[in-house]
Amino acid sequence: MTCYNFLVILLLNNLVYAQAPFSDSLHTLTGKRLSITIDAGAGSRITSFKFYGEELLHVEVYNKNFGSALRLSPQGKWKDGDKLNTLVYKVIKKSAHGLLVSSTPAKVNGFTFSNSFQLHESDSSVTITYSITNQLNEAQTVSPWEVTRVPTGGLAFFPKGLQGDIPLTNKIRPVMTILDSGGIIWYPYDTSQLAAQKLMMKGSEGWLAYVRNGLIFIRQFPVISDAETAPEEKNVELWVNKEKTFIELENQVAYHHLQIVETLHYTFTWIA
């Protein structure tokens, strides 16, 4: 056997070994119009969300950024937030339209997690409940942060918050060029910027939408007051990477003080 053939066989064997657990950890809930796929082996990341077979998420892996995942806010406080995507979740319960997974006993920053997903045929929606339990012997304060990546080329929009609210400035990335019209903040996809772009603002009615190729993707989340927002954060955020391959639709909910072994539950709804 030549050295070249040996290397090819070695690479193929390693590829099969690496892919097998990944594929086994994928769980798809399917309805007549809608389907959603969750990877329990990668932090219960949502890897696909389809409406009549049309993919709404950015699913191409780019620097480990694809699909939709839970993070911890504020970002500056929880440095190990990316480790959430490496947790292996155990399937607690599964049905044709429902899935409940848990990270127990694995934890990040002293928290354990359980996530539930329920597909609803009646209105083409999925409800997602994130549960965070404080396992430290001291209280901790945290906000759930859902980061959902979609392909570029569409129009993002959400209802504006308080009158006079302006985008939170960012020292590193330029603020997006947005339109403020009719009580709605609009972000039409902009290819003119060479750097990554970020927008952080107060949204009012608890929803953020994205339209692309004739499909509308609406993400609903709990409404919170300014006093409940995590430090140096906003409840609605948009981010575009400099390569313009995806847009992040982000929302955060209340900054909550969790006592020892207390659990925080927050439910989000996705509608196609």
Side-chain angles (χ1 to χ4, degrees), residues 215-237:
L215 296 178
I216 183 168
F217 176 20
I218 304 171
R219 296 162 66 256
Q220 295 179 326
F221 45 90
V223 177
I224 62 174
S225 66
D226 286 338
E228 295 175 294
T229 307
E232 298 185 3
E233 301 285 350
K234 295 283 187 176
N235 70 329
V236 174
E237 301 184 17

Side-chain angles (χ1 to χ4, degrees), residues 51-270:
F51 184 68
Y52 283 112
E54 294 291 329
E55 183 63 65
L56 282 80
L57 300 182
H58 169 74
V59 295
E60 180 181 352
V61 179
Y62 178 85
N63 276 349
K64 300 180 181 180
N65 294 319
F66 66 100
S68 181
L70 174 68
R71 298 192 67 177
L72 303 179
S73 178
Q75 186 173 14
K77 178 180 180 180
W78 304 112
K79 300 297 184 181
D80 292 335
D82 287 338
K83 290 184 179 179
L84 273 173
N85 297 330
T86 67
L87 290 182
V88 176
Y89 282 63
K90 179 182 179 181
V91 176
I92 305 300
K93 185 178 181 180
K94 183 179 180 180
S95 64
H97 292 162
L99 178 70
L100 173 63
V101 294
S102 173
S103 72
T104 304
K107 53 181 176 279
V108 171
N109 293 117
F111 299 108
T112 54
F113 309 87
S114 63
N115 303 333
S116 70
F117 307 85
Q118 187 68 44
L119 185 150
H120 306 280
E121 286 275 35
S122 59
D123 59 0
S124 297
S125 71
V126 174
T127 53
I128 305 166
T129 300
Y130 298 109
S131 300
I132 302 175
T133 302
N134 180 21
Q135 301 289 4
L136 288 187
N137 291 323
E138 60 184 54
Q140 297 199 89
T141 310
V142 68
S143 172
W145 176 15
E146 188 182 55
V147 179
T148 303
R149 299 172 182 92
V150 294
T152 52
L155 173 68
F157 56 100
F158 60 92
K160 188 178 180 180
L162 297 175
Q163 192 67 27
D165 184 37
I166 60 173
L168 192 63
T169 58
N170 187 285
K171 297 178 181 179
I172 301 175
R173 302 179 181 91
V175 174
M176 292 176 174
T177 301
I178 56 174
L179 302 176
D180 182 353
S181 177
I184 302 291
I185 298 297
W186 311 85
Y187 171 68
Y189 175 55
D190 181 11
T191 59
S192 64
Q193 294 286 346
L194 299 180
Q197 303 166 66
K198 189 174 183 68
L199 174 74
M200 302 171 68
M201 287 191 72
K202 166 70 176 176
S204 63
E205 297 170 8
W207 60 268
L208 169 61
Y210 189 68
V211 175
R212 180 177 179 271
N213 293 342
L215 296 178
I216 183 168
F217 176 20
I218 304 171
R219 296 162 66 256
Q220 295 179 326
F221 45 90
V223 177
I224 62 174
S225 66
D226 286 338
E228 295 175 294
T229 307
E232 298 185 3
E233 301 285 350
K234 295 283 187 176
N235 70 329
V236 174
E237 301 184 17
L238 301 175
W239 187 79
V240 183
N241 66 332
K242 66 179 181 179
E243 292 80 9
K244 307 295 184 294
T245 54
F246 62 85
I247 299 176
E248 289 184 352
L249 310 177
E250 309 175 22
N251 55 267
Q252 300 188 21
V253 289
Y255 195 47
H256 193 85
H257 196 67
L258 276 178
Q259 300 296 333
I260 301 171
V261 199
E262 183 183 2
T263 300
L264 169 66
H265 304 280
Y266 268 111
T267 298
F268 301 78
T269 302
W270 288 15

